[in-house]
Amino acid sequence: MRNFEYHNPTRLVFGKGEIARLTQLAPRDKKIMITFGGGSVRRNGVYEQVKQALAGFDTVEFWGIEPNPSVETVRKAVAMGREHGVGFLLAVGGGSVLDGTKLIASALATPEVDPWQIVLKGKADAALPYASVMTLPATGSEMNNGAVISRHETQEKYPFYTSYPQFSILDPQVTFTLPPEQIANGLTDVYAHILEQYMTTPGQSRLMDRWAEGMLMELIELAPKIRVNPHDYDLMADFMLVAAMALNDMIRMGVTEDWATHMIGHELTALHGIAHGASLAIVFPATLRVLREQKRGKLLQYAERVWKITQGSEEDRVEEAIVRTEEFFRSLGQKTRLSEVGIGDETIERIATRFNEAHVAYGEAHNVTGDVARKILLAAR
Amino acid sequence: MRNFEYHNPTRLVFGKGEIARLTQLAPRDKKIMITFGGGSVRRNGVYEQVKQALAGFDTVEFWGIEPNPSVETVRKAVAMGREHGVGFLLAVGGGSVLDGTKLIASALATPEVDPWQIVLKGKADAALPYASVMTLPATGSEMNNGAVISRHETQEKYPFYTSYPQFSILDPQVTFTLPPEQIANGLTDVYAHILEQYMTTPGQSRLMDRWAEGMLMELIELAPKIRVNPHDYDLMADFMLVAAMALNDMIRMGVTEDWATHMIGHELTALHGIAHGASLAIVFPATLRVLREQKRGKLLQYAERVWKITQGSEEDRVEEAIVRTEEFFRSLGQKTRLSEVGIGDETIERIATRFNEAHVAYGEAHNVTGDVARKILLAAR
């Protein structure tokens, strides 16, 4: 096991009716900027619950943080925040609203730096305190210190790190109005988050292996049930909890991680606007195919423990585990090939060139260069 | 799933050589009381590492917190802490040293209250900041806000709650000098902690079920390996990590818990001085036998997922799961019957009477009264 440090100070408030807890949790001595996306919270009742809980608080609203939040939008919010002397931020929405808010909070605390410079540096030096009411089980942003920001003018998308949310409120009832494709993208995203932390070298930590495998098995069990009954409270509560736990540092203690698939997926989103979850469904099976030798030990353990594949040669079991993974994404309604979403070799070359020119090498073994990314994308055609 | 709140602010610092991190983590502006047990830290090198890391800090030492720490010892430490104007506590040792330190920290912050009153109230109103260097994988005290304190003069032992450790440093190398019976008691204690949170009603949270089952399977896999090779770093790191995660709120999100076995076990320790882990090995199989109908659904899931028992009638599978649990404790070298440790019916009656007179009703269903405790202890004869 590798040495590690774990420190996640976010307060998770989970369950029916808990949005009302905002009254106790939000600060009364600070101007609060409430940030929103495009307006779905007006239709599902979340906006009313938030306003009711914060009646009498000093608030200002910022609307319009888009999916794959952009630095262009963040700059507008930062200007508004400065104008109003904001001291606390509350993101109400999905992972994109929260990710954007993380950059707003960071930029408001470091006025001398342009927000995009924070993203390029990868790390904020300070941030205003912020919190969330999370409406979409997917990104795990509600309990971590990361965010991914896009820059439209240059078609770039990169992650950066800042402080953790002070608290996050998750009421599974708010998921009942989500469209099916958002649920599918969320399930894909959560499954991929777990794989990024799990699909490396076996036995670095038995606990981390067991916890990740338990979560993957749970998602495989949940997905078809949720499709049939997306308004079942306990199903959606299970999904919402596993989404938060999939990316809150709990399953990466003492182990190596990968994240090459995410970095390639971000390029597809930046260049073609493909939803994040959808991009991962395309890239992940191909990553496993191209890196099957490097990941053989873990693929065999994954085959046996998660998919209960015990027959056949090692090669057969590895292949079947990859096929089952792709089939799982397809069972969610995802496309898993670049050709299905109209992406051709020009984009593959563009991503390979971008990685090579930036001299990046992603993944657990720091070997996913532009050339390896090309192989992965070619395997995803 | 039940509504819940999760908030664990403890910083976990884990790995080889990490005791040196004290230099960065401990406060320089406060008088630090370092608390110890009987002196094993002098033999395993931990004392030297701590002193070296804290060279130049303002410290005072308190020695002699005993296994099953007593309020009598805590009172002495509190007097010393007042005399020296202590503002921060660092427990160096196992769960008992840390549990005692939690009460010292609480009593120092509330000088108007006798420490035993804090225990009887079950909750401290305040506490000085404190931290730990943990030397024994067992109680999980390193990452939670609970402690169990004994009062020798009345042979009582009760839990109470306070703030969380500010940080805990765990270096698996320090476990290499532990005597085998402490490792066995630790494995038993950790297994029992998980069972107390797991062995209730199935399906309240799929995630909590999967995580607990993964940990139980891990302990079953680890125990025989550790017996053969107690100086294997990765084995002991796995054990030390699972011990911390078994009682840090991570596997109780949204689910009911039991803890009746612990409350009965505490009585055996208070009356006969039996080690905590050893008491649980005796009581837990009997609790499962007496409450098998109430816990049938979870016992069947436990039989299948943890012990891979799939043959036979439901009744057979439940019985085999209980037998396997008792055999697991025996494989650690534990005795699992009261008669083996010389405890007879007089003690059983005394515990039943104590529970009945206090009108307590422990367990997930609040039905483990003195009469049910009597049945459990009779089943453990």
Side-chain angles (χ1 to χ4, degrees):
Chain A
M1 197 185 300
R2 295 152 60 101
N3 285 17
F4 70 91
E5 198 166 318
Y6 170 90
H7 183 222
N8 188 327
T10 300
R11 182 183 297 273
L12 175 65
V13 179
F14 193 103
K16 267 181 204 166
E18 295 288 1
I19 294 174
R21 286 291 308 287
L22 276 174
T23 312
Q24 285 91 49
L25 295 169
R28 290 191 180 268
D29 59 347
K30 293 198 172 85
K31 180 89 169 187
I32 302 171
M33 178 187 262
I34 316 179
T35 54
F36 300 97
S40 64
V41 294
R42 285 197 201 273
R43 292 187 295 276
N44 62 16
V46 172
Y47 178 75
E48 287 224 340
Q49 289 181 64
V50 168
K51 293 300 282 185
Q52 205 172 330
L54 293 182
F57 285 71
D58 187 12
T59 63
V60 58
E61 298 180 8
F62 180 84
W63 287 85
I65 300 182
E66 68 274 54
N68 304 306
S70 72
V71 69
E72 289 88 351
T73 301
V74 164
R75 286 195 189 106
K76 289 181 208 162
V78 169
M80 187 187 191
R82 287 220 180 99
E83 187 189 326
H84 288 270
V86 163
F88 187 92
L89 291 104
L90 177 70
V92 178
S96 290
V97 175
L98 181 46
D99 277 14
T101 302
K102 286 178 179 179
L103 186 54
I104 301 167
S106 304
L108 282 173
T110 51
E112 66 288 1
V113 190
D114 177 74
W116 190 245
Q117 293 306 314
I118 297 174
V119 175
L120 289 183
K121 190 179 168 193
K123 191 179 162 299
D125 292 325
L128 293 187
Y130 68 94
S132 82
V133 172
M134 177 54 53
T135 58
L136 177 64
T139 70
S141 191
E142 59 269 31
M143 234 179 140
N144 67 42
N145 63 341
V148 188
I149 304 292
S150 297
R151 187 182 179 198
H152 291 324
E153 54 179 328
T154 50
Q155 291 187 304
E156 292 173 286
K157 183 181 180 190
Y158 302 118
F160 84 102
Y161 296 87
T162 183
S163 63
Y164 286 76
Q166 201 172 84
F167 61 85
S168 280
I169 302 177
L170 277 63
D171 179 345
Q173 295 175 120
V174 308
T175 66
F176 292 171
T177 50
L178 289 172
E181 65 275 16
Q182 282 200 17
I183 291 176
N185 282 337
L187 286 163
T188 308
D189 196 18
V190 176
Y191 199 91
H193 286 163
I194 301 162
L195 277 188
E196 295 277 29
Q197 295 162 91
Y198 170 74
M199 193 50 76
T200 55
T201 307
Q204 294 183 94
S205 160
R206 285 174 174 84
L207 181 64
M208 296 297 100
D209 282 6
R210 291 284 186 191
W211 277 9
E213 289 154 0
M215 295 164 96
L216 296 171
M217 287 189 277
E218 178 183 343
L219 288 169
I220 292 164
E221 182 191 336
L222 279 178
K225 293 184 203 284
I226 286 174
R227 189 207 295 255
V228 177
N229 203 344
H231 296 179
D232 179 305
Y233 180 83
D234 282 322
L235 287 176
M236 295 311 283
D238 272 336
F239 176 29
M240 206 165 199
L241 184 58
V242 78
M245 299 298 132
L247 199 51
N248 68 353
D249 311 332
M250 283 188 193
I251 62 166
R252 64 174 198 160
M253 297 184 206
V255 299
T256 48
E257 303 172 68
D258 201 285
W259 298 104
T261 296
H262 266 71
M263 296 312 289
I264 299 171
H266 289 336
E267 295 293 319
L268 296 177
T269 301
L271 296 171
H272 291 274
I274 294 178
H276 176 57
S279 78
L280 301 173
I282 294 169
V283 181
F284 228 124
T287 300
L288 297 181
R289 287 200 163 89
V290 170
L291 299 177
R292 68 197 301 158
E293 282 316 309
Q294 175 185 316
K295 295 179 182 297
R296 166 180 289 265
K298 205 58 168 279
L299 277 164
L300 285 167
Q301 183 175 314
Y302 170 66
E304 181 183 342
R305 292 191 182 172
V306 174
W307 292 108
K308 316 298 176 199
I309 300 166
T310 54
Q311 307 289 314
S313 68
E314 284 199 353
E315 200 46 42
D316 290 346
R317 281 176 276 151
V318 165
E319 178 60 25
E320 193 177 340
I322 298 172
V323 169
R324 294 273 198 103
T325 304
E326 185 168 353
E327 283 173 356
F328 174 66
F329 292 144
R330 296 196 81 85
S331 79
L332 301 175
Q334 299 288 11
K335 296 176 168 60
T336 59
R337 299 292 170 156
L338 290 170
S339 53
E340 295 177 281
V341 295
I343 293 179
D345 291 359
E346 194 191 338
T347 294
I348 295 177
E349 254 343 286
R350 190 163 168 196
I351 294 172
T353 304
R354 232 185 209 186
F355 278 20
N356 280 333
E357 285 179 354
H359 301 290
V360 294
Y362 296 116
E364 53 166 334
H366 306 290
N367 60 353
V368 181
T369 58
D371 292 339
V372 176
R374 182 191 292 112
K375 280 187 198 162
I376 290 170
L377 289 165
L378 288 173
R381 280 196 294 188
Chain B
M1 197 184 301
R2 296 151 61 101
N3 285 18
F4 70 90
E5 199 166 315
Y6 170 89
H7 182 225
N8 187 329
T10 300
R11 180 183 300 270
L12 176 65
V13 179
F14 193 103
K16 270 181 200 162
E18 295 287 3
I19 293 174
R21 286 289 311 285
L22 276 174
T23 312
Q24 285 92 48
L25 295 169
R28 290 190 180 268
D29 59 345
K30 291 197 172 88
K31 178 90 170 188
I32 302 171
M33 179 187 261
I34 316 177
T35 53
F36 300 96
S40 64
V41 292
R42 285 198 201 271
R43 292 186 295 277
N44 62 15
V46 172
Y47 179 74
E48 287 223 341
Q49 290 180 63
V50 169
K51 292 300 281 188
Q52 206 173 329
L54 294 183
F57 285 72
D58 187 13
T59 64
V60 58
E61 298 181 8
F62 180 84
W63 286 85
I65 300 181
E66 70 274 55
N68 304 306
S70 71
V71 70
E72 290 87 352
T73 300
V74 165
R75 286 196 189 107
K76 288 180 207 162
V78 170
M80 189 186 188
R82 288 219 179 99
E83 188 189 324
H84 288 270
V86 162
F88 187 90
L89 292 104
L90 177 69
V92 178
S96 290
V97 174
L98 181 47
D99 277 14
T101 303
K102 286 178 179 178
L103 186 54
I104 300 167
S106 305
L108 282 173
T110 51
E112 65 289 358
V113 190
D114 178 74
W116 190 245
Q117 292 307 314
I118 297 174
V119 176
L120 288 183
K121 191 179 168 193
K123 193 179 161 298
D125 292 326
L128 293 188
Y130 68 94
S132 81
V133 173
M134 176 55 53
T135 59
L136 177 66
T139 69
S141 191
E142 58 269 31
M143 236 181 137
N144 68 42
N145 63 341
V148 189
I149 304 292
S150 297
R151 187 183 179 197
H152 290 324
E153 55 179 325
T154 49
Q155 292 187 303
E156 291 173 286
K157 184 181 181 191
Y158 302 118
F160 85 101
Y161 296 89
T162 181
S163 63
Y164 286 75
Q166 203 173 82
F167 61 85
S168 281
I169 302 178
L170 277 61
D171 180 345
Q173 295 175 119
V174 309
T175 66
F176 292 170
T177 51
L178 289 172
E181 66 272 17
Q182 283 201 16
I183 292 176
N185 282 337
L187 285 163
T188 308
D189 196 18
V190 176
Y191 198 92
H193 286 163
I194 301 162
L195 277 187
E196 294 279 29
Q197 296 162 90
Y198 170 75
M199 193 50 75
T200 56
T201 307
Q204 294 183 91
S205 160
R206 283 173 174 85
L207 181 64
M208 297 295 102
D209 282 6
R210 290 284 186 190
W211 277 9
E213 289 154 1
M215 296 165 95
L216 295 171
M217 286 189 276
E218 179 185 342
L219 288 169
I220 292 164
E221 183 191 336
L222 280 178
K225 292 183 202 285
I226 286 174
R227 190 206 295 256
V228 176
N229 202 344
H231 295 179
D232 181 304
Y233 180 83
D234 282 323
L235 288 176
M236 296 310 284
D238 272 337
F239 176 29
M240 208 166 198
L241 184 58
V242 77
M245 300 298 132
L247 198 53
N248 66 354
D249 310 334
M250 284 188 193
I251 62 165
R252 64 174 198 161
M253 299 183 205
V255 300
T256 48
E257 303 171 68
D258 200 286
W259 298 104
T261 295
H262 265 72
M263 297 311 289
I264 299 172
H266 289 335
E267 296 292 319
L268 295 177
T269 301
L271 296 171
H272 291 273
I274 294 177
H276 176 56
S279 78
L280 302 172
I282 294 169
V283 181
F284 228 124
T287 299
L288 297 181
R289 287 199 163 87
V290 170
L291 299 178
R292 69 197 300 156
E293 281 316 310
Q294 175 185 315
K295 295 178 183 298
R296 166 180 290 264
K298 206 57 169 279
L299 278 164
L300 284 167
Q301 184 174 313
Y302 170 66
E304 182 183 341
R305 292 191 183 173
V306 175
W307 292 108
K308 317 297 176 199
I309 301 165
T310 54
Q311 306 291 313
S313 67
E314 285 199 354
E315 198 49 38
D316 290 346
R317 281 178 274 152
V318 164
E319 177 60 24
E320 193 177 342
I322 298 172
V323 168
R324 293 272 198 106
T325 305
E326 186 169 353
E327 283 173 357
F328 174 67
F329 292 144
R330 296 197 80 86
S331 78
L332 302 175
Q334 299 288 12
K335 296 177 168 58
T336 59
R337 298 293 169 155
L338 291 171
S339 52
E340 294 179 280
V341 295
I343 293 178
D345 289 0
E346 195 191 337
T347 295
I348 296 177
E349 255 339 289
R350 191 162 166 195
I351 294 171
T353 304
R354 237 186 203 185
F355 278 20
N356 279 335
E357 285 180 353
H359 301 289
V360 292
Y362 296 116
E364 54 166 332
H366 306 290
N367 59 353
V368 181
T369 58
D371 292 340
V372 176
R374 182 191 293 113
K375 278 187 201 163
I376 290 171
L377 288 164
L378 288 173
R381 279 198 295 187

